[in-house]
Amino acid sequence: MRKGEQTRKGIVDKAYLLAGQLGLEGVTLGTLASSLSLSKSGLFAHFKSKEALQLEVLEEAIGRFTRHVVTPALGKPRGLPRLNAMFDGYLSWIRGVSGRGSCLFLSLAHEYDDRPGPVRDRLVESQRAWLDTLAKAVRLAVSEGHLRGTIDADQAAIELVGIGMAYQHATRLLKDPKADKRARAAYDALLQRLRK
Amino acid sequence: MRKGEQTRKGIVDKAYLLAGQLGLEGVTLGTLASSLSLSKSGLFAHFKSKEALQLEVLEEAIGRFTRHVVTPALGKPRGLPRLNAMFDGYLSWIRGVSGRGSCLFLSLAHEYDDRPGPVRDRLVESQRAWLDTLAKAVRLAVSEGHLRGTIDADQAAIELVGIGMAYQHATRLLKDPKADKRARAAYDALLQRLRK
DNA sequence: GACAAAAACGACCGGTCGTTCTTATTCTTC
DNA sequence: GAAGAATAAGAACGACCGGTCGTTTTTGTC
């Protein structure tokens, strides 16, 4: 019972990697199998359907995001330090942990915005959770006295995501060398507005 | 030579419509043909390859964007009126001219950010042009005395695009009823910063 | 080392993909 | 209305899709 789990993990890992470049639909069982030196049927035997595999890959992504971005930020003191850590982590996540591959969530957001089903549902759930996490961090910064009390935390959260999306757009599609600087400047401006 | 052009136009129009929901790769010749009551080969005869069709669809999108967003805005007086018109037009474009279908450019940005080729090249070109158009409108607003002279127009342009992307995210994936309000608030805040 | 269970294999299913032919129909023009 | 070109259809192709099957190899346990 040990070898199976190990292989299964390898499949999900590889699928996660490929999905960052090709989208979840773009990862076919055939190419996934051959890139792992596995037979297609041998690979498929680990999952009930391709959709089940896709859901596992999405879950893997959520786990990685939590580990890479959310948890470290929660280790920081409430208020601006934590918010800063979240934004830094978010940028570094989008930049790609190991260089290649883009943010899976933003890819899937477009891939599934018109495709109903469990994958879309789970994706929406995770995106709302991320927005809530950001908004909560903003509210804590308010209660810590770091930010004004009159601000709209949900508005701030979605603007933060907007900065992240623009960053991805600039860095991955346009190959803009100033992308980092731009994202940072946008964040600083947003913060200044919230502080005032 | 007239019937052909007409059919061809119908194909590109329909393909443009479908691509908004399925992406350019997602539009297959078979489904495209049958949705037009055409045979697959009869449809294909109008193009040398699928990639050629994709490029024509992208060109169609660029033309529509120019007609719906850029040109009307250029009819407005330089400065804030024109910038406002651009932003309004951008939002309405993302919202979908006829209700359904998302912004093709943003879909393609993710679909092709890791897929080299002529489609990607043309897409990047068009996106840079849009950023330049926005930045130029900002600069004109500066020279008209509507905005501060110390601002970074390119920075402002990419932040505008970021607001648009966040808007699309909120409205299409998350079905957030406040999406319009949020985008407007972000724009107002940005404008206030640029004016100060 | 035997033996059952787990895991991987290879062949194959019906379908669809983009593409290429040849053949038939429909236009346009004189 | 006939001639010739433009347009569409039809059939077929090789490759690949997700998925199923029975069989063989590997693995963990006693």
Side-chain angles (χ1 to χ4, degrees):
Chain A
M1 291 192 205
R2 209 178 291 103
K3 180 76 176 350
E5 302 264 339
Q6 186 178 322
T7 307
R8 191 189 173 93
K9 182 108 178 65
I11 295 171
V12 173
D13 279 3
K14 191 74 176 185
Y16 168 78
L17 207 72
L18 292 177
Q21 309 169 10
L22 309 167
L24 270 183
E25 296 293 328
V27 180
T28 71
L29 300 182
T31 59
L32 181 56
S34 71
S35 82
L36 286 161
S37 300
L38 266 170
S39 71
K40 195 170 60 159
S41 55
L43 181 148
F44 187 78
H46 289 273
F47 309 92
K48 286 180 301 187
S49 68
K50 194 189 181 184
E51 192 176 71
L53 168 61
Q54 291 173 329
L55 280 170
E56 282 203 39
V57 171
L58 177 53
E59 218 59 47
E60 170 74 19
I62 292 169
R64 290 193 189 204
F65 186 80
T66 303
R67 259 175 278 132
H68 192 271
V69 181
V70 181
T71 307
L74 293 184
K76 299 278 180 177
R78 296 174 176 188
L80 279 190
R82 184 176 295 180
L83 191 60
N84 287 335
M86 268 183 198
F87 184 74
D88 287 348
Y90 192 34
L91 282 201
S92 120
W93 169 266
I94 289 170
R95 197 178 304 120
V97 185
S98 54
R100 288 275 65 73
S102 64
C103 172
L104 186 61
F105 303 111
L106 297 186
S107 297
L108 298 191
H110 286 88
E111 198 172 352
Y112 286 92
D113 68 351
D114 270 322
R115 188 176 340 217
V119 176
R120 191 203 132 96
D121 294 342
R122 186 71 184 95
L123 174 67
V124 169
E125 193 184 331
S126 75
Q127 286 301 284
R128 282 205 233 269
W130 172 230
L131 279 170
D132 286 347
T133 301
L134 282 171
K136 189 174 175 185
V138 170
R139 287 194 195 92
L140 280 175
V142 170
S143 66
E144 291 291 316
H146 298 162
L147 299 180
R148 282 166 35 218
T150 55
I151 64 178
D152 182 339
D154 293 313
Q155 174 76 25
I158 201 162
E159 287 193 36
L160 284 169
V161 170
I163 295 173
M165 297 179 85
Y167 175 63
Q168 153 130 331
H169 197 251
T171 195
R172 298 206 65 81
L173 185 76
L174 306 177
K175 311 282 185 199
D176 183 354
K178 295 185 192 162
D180 271 276
K181 209 187 74 179
R182 304 248 106 110
R184 188 65 50 183
Y187 179 69
D188 291 343
L190 174 60
L191 225 58
Q192 197 183 340
R193 159 155 67 97
L194 299 181
R195 214 158 22 198
K196 190 159 287 182
Chain B
M1 289 194 205
R2 209 178 291 98
K3 180 77 176 347
E5 303 263 339
Q6 187 178 321
T7 308
R8 192 189 172 93
K9 182 112 178 63
I11 294 171
V12 173
D13 278 4
K14 190 76 177 183
Y16 168 78
L17 208 72
L18 293 177
Q21 308 168 11
L22 309 167
L24 270 182
E25 296 293 327
V27 179
T28 70
L29 299 184
T31 59
L32 181 56
S34 71
S35 82
L36 286 160
S37 300
L38 262 171
S39 73
K40 198 166 58 154
S41 56
L43 183 148
F44 188 79
H46 289 272
F47 309 93
K48 286 179 301 186
S49 67
K50 192 188 183 185
E51 191 175 71
L53 169 59
Q54 292 173 328
L55 280 169
E56 282 202 38
V57 171
L58 177 53
E59 218 59 48
E60 170 73 19
I62 292 170
R64 291 193 188 205
F65 186 80
T66 303
R67 260 175 278 132
H68 277 90
V69 182
V70 180
T71 307
L74 292 184
K76 300 277 179 178
R78 295 176 177 186
L80 279 189
R82 183 175 296 179
L83 192 59
N84 288 335
M86 268 182 199
F87 184 74
D88 288 348
Y90 192 32
L91 282 202
S92 119
W93 169 266
I94 289 170
R95 196 179 305 119
V97 185
S98 54
R100 288 274 67 72
S102 64
C103 172
L104 186 62
F105 302 111
L106 297 186
S107 298
L108 298 191
H110 287 88
E111 198 173 350
Y112 286 92
D113 68 350
D114 269 323
R115 191 179 333 221
V119 176
R120 191 202 134 97
D121 295 343
R122 186 71 185 95
L123 173 67
V124 169
E125 194 184 332
S126 74
Q127 287 301 285
R128 281 205 234 268
W130 172 231
L131 280 170
D132 285 348
T133 302
L134 282 171
K136 189 174 176 185
V138 170
R139 285 194 196 93
L140 281 175
V142 170
S143 66
E144 291 291 317
H146 298 163
L147 300 180
R148 281 165 39 219
T150 55
I151 64 178
D152 182 339
D154 294 312
Q155 174 77 26
I158 201 162
E159 288 192 36
L160 284 169
V161 170
I163 295 172
M165 297 178 85
Y167 174 64
Q168 152 131 332
H169 197 251
T171 196
R172 299 206 65 80
L173 185 75
L174 306 177
K175 311 280 186 200
D176 183 355
K178 295 185 191 161
D180 271 276
K181 209 188 75 179
R182 302 249 106 109
R184 187 65 50 184
Y187 179 67
D188 291 342
L190 174 60
L191 225 57
Q192 196 183 340
R193 160 154 66 98
L194 299 180
R195 212 154 28 197
K196 189 157 287 181

